[in-house]
Amino acid sequence: MARARNIKPGFFKNELLVELPFEFRLLFIGLWTMADRAGRLEDRPTKVRMELFPADSVDVDAGLQSLHDAGFVERYQANGKRYVQILAWAKHQNPHKKEAESCIPSPEEALVKQGPVITGQAPEIPGRVPHRAIASPADSLIPDSLIPEKEQGAQKPARQPRGKRFQDWIDSLNGEMAIPADDPVYRWGDQTGIPDDFLELAWLAFEDRYRQEPKRYDDWRKVFRNAVKGNWMKVWYATPDGSYALTTVGETWRRATASRRAG
């Protein structure tokens, strides 16, 4: 059952959230209306798509995974079923007092019963701290400028940065391919019909975008896979016959690549 929820101005200013495709940001808002009073719902992409995007072709599974990887939600399993926990829920939502209590186990309860297994579609990175154990990007949906001074309190100690910047990651490869031939992104391309040369153009655009970025990630390959699945670089578009063609951006990168090879 859909429910009325709050949306605050800080939502539109979150620096990590704006990196996600428009439809994934809209998906995030839609999840709030489907979640119970504890911010939990069943991880059923098809059901979510029919509820939120009945007239649009949106890859909800990829959107949920992108929100999971970015730290806005947590996908997990409990009692053999898949669920989603919206992080920092209590900071931004005030469910009606008569709303029924959640009947979905929390991620913490799932950990106690099943051991330390936090699952999304993609495998967890070894050594990665579960999202709920760190400050979630969802915490920053309300900028400090919108919080009354009395609630801001003393400054918290700065957190140590996690992950690597893109250029630092590239420098650490020591000759290893950034995206090896057996990377899952190619298998995904085969399944969807996106040609390998389109994926290579997407990588060039991705590399150009992030080489000077200060952002840090634990797994840049996973970030690239999400960028491909969400077509962040806007390199291709789906044609009416179900195939894919290059956009103006993609054609520009194709010509630039051809020019480099010719030179």
Side-chain angles (χ1 to χ4, degrees):
M1 179 179 66
R3 304 168 176 90
R5 299 301 188 194
N6 299 322
I7 183 168
K8 300 176 181 178
F11 175 89
F12 304 98
K13 301 178 182 180
N14 186 285
E15 295 181 357
L16 290 178
L17 193 61
V18 298
E19 290 293 322
L20 299 181
F22 180 84
E23 61 270 24
F24 291 176
R25 283 177 269 161
L26 185 58
L27 168 65
F28 189 30
I29 296 175
L31 293 179
W32 305 347
T33 68
M34 295 184 67
D36 61 24
R37 68 173 297 122
R40 302 176 198 133
L41 66 151
E42 290 182 293
D43 190 341
R44 297 172 60 185
T46 300
K47 179 181 179 181
V48 173
R49 183 176 65 81
M50 292 304 297
E51 182 75 20
L52 303 180
F53 304 101
D56 301 287
S57 179
V58 175
D59 190 340
V60 170
D61 188 55
L64 289 172
Q65 190 60 37
S66 293
L67 291 168
H68 170 91
D69 293 337
F72 292 101
V73 306
E74 182 171 345
R75 305 181 83 177
Y76 64 101
Q77 290 186 5
N79 302 325
K81 295 183 178 180
R82 300 178 63 85
Y83 298 107
V84 174
Q85 170 72 64
I86 299 172
L87 301 178
W89 175 262
K91 287 190 175 184
H92 308 298
Q93 301 298 334
N94 296 294
H96 192 276
K97 61 182 180 180
K98 293 185 178 180
E99 189 173 327
E101 294 295 331
S102 174
C103 61
I104 296 176
S106 69
E108 289 79 10
E109 291 171 334
L111 267 179
V112 171
K113 293 180 179 180
Q114 301 178 14
V117 179
I118 306 299
T119 61
Q121 284 297 87
E124 283 295 311
I125 306 167
R128 180 175 182 176
V129 180
H131 291 311
R132 64 174 172 277
I134 61 174
S136 165
D139 292 343
S140 61
L141 292 181
I142 308 177
D144 287 345
S145 61
L146 300 177
I147 303 176
E149 291 183 4
K150 64 180 181 180
E151 295 182 14
Q152 292 187 26
Q155 290 187 344
K156 297 180 180 179
R159 291 189 303 155
Q160 293 298 317
R162 300 174 63 243
K164 292 182 179 180
R165 293 186 178 91
F166 181 85
Q167 186 60 55
D168 294 335
W169 172 64
I170 291 292
D171 294 341
S172 70
L173 292 176
N174 295 322
E176 180 185 355
M177 294 183 66
I179 307 297
D182 60 351
D183 191 272
V185 74
Y186 288 109
R187 184 167 62 253
W188 186 84
D190 291 339
Q191 294 170 348
T192 56
I194 297 177
D196 285 357
D197 57 335
F198 282 25
L199 296 179
E200 292 169 5
L201 294 177
W203 169 256
L204 293 176
F206 180 85
E207 183 180 24
D208 181 71
R209 175 174 175 175
Y210 286 101
R211 190 172 286 277
Q212 303 302 323
E213 277 276 6
K215 291 183 173 60
R216 296 171 179 265
Y217 290 103
D218 293 323
D219 190 339
W220 278 99
R221 292 186 178 97
K222 179 182 287 188
V223 176
F224 176 62
R225 291 178 207 128
N226 290 335
V228 167
K229 292 179 181 180
N231 196 15
W232 296 359
M233 305 297 113
K234 307 301 180 186
V235 170
W236 55 73
Y237 66 94
T239 64
D241 64 3
S243 61
Y244 292 87
L246 292 176
T247 62
T248 302
V249 173
E251 185 62 28
T252 299
W253 277 106
R254 185 191 67 78
R255 293 178 181 178
T257 302
S259 177
R260 291 176 189 172
R261 289 174 178 170

